[in-house]
Amino acid sequence: MEITLKSAHPQDGVYAAVGADFEERCAKFSDTVVAFARKSIVTASNSCEVFRTRVQLPDTVRIGADCAVQPAPDPNAVSVQNVDTTPDRENLMFKKIDDKTVILWIINNGHFTGDGRKLSYCSEQVQLAYARQRRAGKPSKN
């Protein structure tokens, strides 16, 4: 079971939606940061504390998380529905396409949002810069 769980989870790190400004969003850490090890997921619009994960399929993990809207969300941002009002107390879902690509769905108004957001893992330089910033910033709660 643990092997299945690990293979379904996207790797921790900084992700961004593919597009013209991919590198810029990676460099700003402004799209999505996955940190299963620290039990957190931060999207452009929400900061979430993960309290439960469940592997649904070998490549899909469903997540129950307490989320708060970021102070200055993207204008197209979708708020994550409160887990207390969702079936199965799950409000996020990742589908792993490969080691560098995932699709993130957010539950809002009882339904997953559209086709999900296809996210790609940012470059190693971005991952190292994020790790350095995190170490230099506020101390970890764990």
Side-chain angles (χ1 to χ4, degrees):
M1 176 63 185
E2 191 63 26
I3 292 169
T4 304
L5 184 66
K6 293 293 183 221
S7 68
H9 279 192
Q11 64 179 320
D12 284 4
V14 180
Y15 290 79
V18 177
D21 56 351
F22 175 75
E23 293 298 332
E24 182 182 328
R25 280 179 287 125
C26 280
K28 290 181 179 176
F29 321 129
S30 64
D31 203 321
T32 303
V33 177
V34 176
F36 279 116
R38 291 191 317 274
K39 299 202 177 306
S40 81
I41 295 171
V42 178
T43 70
S45 55
N46 298 269
S47 178
C48 302
E49 186 176 324
V50 175
F51 63 82
R52 180 181 139 179
T53 60
R54 175 174 67 94
V55 173
Q56 184 176 25
L57 299 165
D59 62 353
T60 305
V61 62
R62 292 180 69 119
I63 299 159
D66 286 324
C67 299
V69 176
Q70 297 274 52
D74 180 288
N76 305 324
V78 176
S79 294
V80 177
Q81 187 169 334
N82 185 307
V83 287
D84 294 335
T85 62
T86 61
D88 303 324
R89 290 182 50 83
E90 295 165 345
N91 52 358
L92 298 167
M93 183 169 72
F94 279 100
K95 178 176 177 66
K96 188 173 178 180
I97 306 303
D98 58 38
D99 285 341
K100 302 282 185 192
T101 313
V102 297
I103 297 176
L104 168 65
W105 280 276
I106 292 173
I107 291 183
N108 181 269
N109 295 327
H111 303 285
F112 283 113
T113 50
D115 296 328
R117 291 192 67 224
K118 190 171 185 178
L119 302 169
S120 289
Y121 195 71
C122 296
S123 70
E124 202 54 43
Q125 293 89 331
V126 168
Q127 306 302 336
L128 292 170
Y130 177 74
R132 277 194 302 275
Q133 176 186 305
R134 196 175 172 301
R135 278 194 304 271
K138 59 183 184 257
S140 174
K141 286 190 265 184
N142 296 343

